[in-house]
Amino acid sequence: MTDDGAGDIGDLGALPLGHPARRLFALDPEADFLNNGSFGACPLPVTAAQDAIRREVERQPVAFFADEAPRRIRAAAARLAAFLGAAADDVVFVENATAGMNAVLRSLRFEPGDEILTTDHVYGAVRQVLTHLERQHGVVTVEARLPWPVTGEDELVAAVESRITDRTRLLVVDHIASRSALILPVARLAAMARARGLQVLVDGAHAPGQILLDVPALGADWVVGNCHKWLFAPRGAGFLWARRGAQEALHPPVISHGYGRGFVAEFDWIGTRDLSAWLAVPAAIDFLTALGVERVRNRNHVLAMAMGETIASAWSTGLGAPRDMYGAMVTIRVPGSAPATWEAGGALRQRLWREHRVEVPVMPVGDALHARISAQIFNVPQDYRRLAATLPVLAATL
Ligand SMILES: Cc1ncc(COP(=O)(O)O)c(C=O)c1O
């Protein structure tokens, strides 16, 4: 392994995607794993790079943390920043997207009555942070209801813009929404919001590795993302990008030695912790780059769309959005009249796994339950057959 955490991953560019790629993962061969979206799946070469980092730390922990760690964290952050199209010192690692969203939202100052605008697709944990701000500062969260099914970007932008008032301070918007898999037009939303005097925080938990990403070009003040979902990194590797001029007020959720010494110093050291996930991000980027960033992205999108359309046709239902508003995840309306609740969706997910060894999330979107399928490099069309056959039968029992 090289000094900046890059692993030896061989010639992956020639590896056919699909079944041959499965040997690169530890996934259960009996299962249909259709949910890369929730927690990712870390490839074995990246796990090996992480293990090597852990062993290196254990050879001389004090020298590693005291002398090596600051430089190594910055080197890994620089690799990630280059992948995101950003300047190295505008990017810091965080534990995960939740930590990044907390860092921004809990660093900002609000007056009672200030409004934070988000959408009804906002991720549940982020909604809880907003609830905390409501209780702590008396802010008001406004959820713009997005049309569903969606036909195009204009109606999404209009739905959000229509909820701006003269009390709105901040727009919190997903890049790719968890429950709907919808790619939101964040650059358009950010331009609109900033023109109306708002600050903009983008929750890009699902974006890195799934879609083409130029973070500064989104035009937001802050962008949060995960490397452990679609970028093949070990879990515990998220990031926060902040525009110059929007860094000074930020503090990590855990205050430590770097307090008051600037954005990078504050976030790079948040107490003694396992740094291996952050330091293995270059190995994950190497892995994706060796496979071909475009090749993986296109192949996963094409597979997700083809499977989504096939299943929707078998179920006589439909997808929630047009092709260009999905990446490597697609949401398909569940047939029948199962209640559109988290409880019903959770029960279906559990039964699919326990009785059929199919892992897929089922969540309410609009007025119906939807199954959200993911396509990752180890998936093949055959993986989606059990889902297509069994979910309608289970849904009819609810
Ligand atoms: C849109 C969105 N935001 C935030 C998160 C939280 O990610 P993490 O659990 O890695 O903090 C998720 C996780 O699925 C998500 O989908």
Side-chain angles (χ1 to χ4, degrees):
M1 199 176 59
T2 64
D3 200 35
D4 71 350
D8 176 12
I9 37 156
D11 181 17
L12 292 177
L15 180 81
L17 302 180
H19 266 301
R22 225 166 253 197
R23 67 175 172 78
L24 299 170
F25 294 83
L27 290 165
D28 176 355
E30 301 302 318
D32 291 338
F33 189 67
L34 310 181
N35 186 11
N36 186 80
S38 283
F39 302 110
C42 189
L44 295 170
V46 178
T47 309
Q50 181 182 28
D51 289 346
I53 293 162
R54 286 194 171 123
R55 278 196 303 279
E56 186 191 350
V57 175
E58 295 311 327
R59 279 169 66 89
Q60 218 295 34
V62 176
F64 189 88
F65 281 106
D67 306 330
E68 274 289 295
R71 184 181 64 77
R72 295 281 286 275
I73 293 169
R74 274 301 95 208
R79 274 299 304 281
L80 175 61
F83 182 80
L84 301 172
D89 285 351
D90 295 344
V91 174
V92 289
F93 284 113
V94 288
E95 200 73 20
N96 47 45
T98 307
M101 296 299 285
N102 267 274
V104 177
L105 288 168
R106 298 176 70 184
S107 293
L108 299 179
R109 286 171 188 247
F110 296 101
E111 300 293 329
D114 282 353
E115 291 178 5
I116 300 179
L117 177 57
T118 188
T119 78
D120 59 344
H121 291 215
V122 64
Y123 185 67
V126 174
R127 185 66 183 81
Q128 295 289 50
V129 185
L130 299 178
T131 301
H132 179 69
L133 298 183
E134 288 170 3
R135 292 180 187 162
Q136 203 174 38
H137 301 297
V139 303
V140 177
T141 303
V142 175
E143 279 187 22
R145 193 177 162 91
L146 300 182
W148 191 262
V150 185
T151 55
E153 290 185 359
D154 290 353
E155 58 183 1
L156 294 174
V157 178
V160 174
E161 186 163 21
S162 71
R163 301 302 304 276
I164 296 176
T165 73
D166 56 6
R167 303 302 307 264
T168 316
R169 298 283 170 268
L170 173 70
L171 173 64
V172 178
V173 69
D174 295 324
H175 200 161
I176 302 179
S178 171
R179 68 161 83 174
S180 58
L182 187 67
I183 304 176
L184 285 139
V186 277
R188 277 185 67 183
L189 287 166
M192 176 277 290
R194 292 193 68 188
R196 302 279 302 258
L198 313 189
Q199 293 185 298
V200 180
L201 167 60
V202 173
D203 177 355
H206 281 278
Q210 184 176 169
I211 56 174
L212 188 64
L213 197 54
D214 179 338
V215 163
L218 296 178
D221 294 282
W222 308 283
V223 177
V224 165
N226 271 334
C227 306
H228 53 234
K229 286 185 186 288
W230 294 93
L231 198 52
F232 295 119
R235 278 162 217 100
F239 70 84
L240 165 62
W241 172 89
R243 177 177 69 72
R244 297 272 162 91
Q247 298 177 352
E248 293 71 22
L250 297 185
H251 306 289
V254 175
I255 302 281
S256 185
H257 293 296
Y259 184 64
R261 292 187 14 237
F263 180 56
V264 164
E266 289 212 20
F267 281 81
D268 277 6
W269 187 260
I270 50 168
T272 311
R273 54 182 298 281
D274 183 352
L275 292 171
S276 62
W278 293 358
L279 299 185
V281 165
I285 294 172
D286 286 345
F287 179 83
L288 176 59
T289 309
L291 285 169
V293 182
E294 284 287 295
R295 176 178 171 235
V296 167
R297 193 160 49 84
N298 290 335
R299 188 260 179 198
N300 288 346
H301 173 64
V302 167
L303 179 62
M305 287 315 306
M307 294 302 99
E309 282 162 1
T310 303
I311 296 171
S313 149
W315 292 353
S316 302
T317 62
L319 307 182
R323 241 164 206 281
D324 59 351
M325 300 185 85
Y326 283 126
M329 300 192 296
V330 171
T331 36
I332 312 148
R333 189 155 54 82
V334 170
S337 52
T341 62
W342 288 98
E343 291 72 27
L348 276 177
R349 188 216 135 248
Q350 263 186 0
R351 288 193 63 190
L352 280 164
W353 175 245
R354 290 183 184 159
E355 296 169 29
H356 301 287
R357 283 287 175 263
V358 175
E359 184 56 63
V360 77
V362 183
M363 297 179 277
V365 197
D367 60 3
L369 283 181
H370 287 68
R372 188 193 75 192
I373 56 167
S374 289
Q376 185 52 291
I377 58 167
F378 43 74
N379 288 122
V380 291
Q382 200 184 331
D383 296 347
Y384 301 81
R385 284 198 194 138
R386 267 190 288 195
L387 171 67
T390 56
L391 187 128
V393 180
L394 294 178
T397 67
L398 285 181

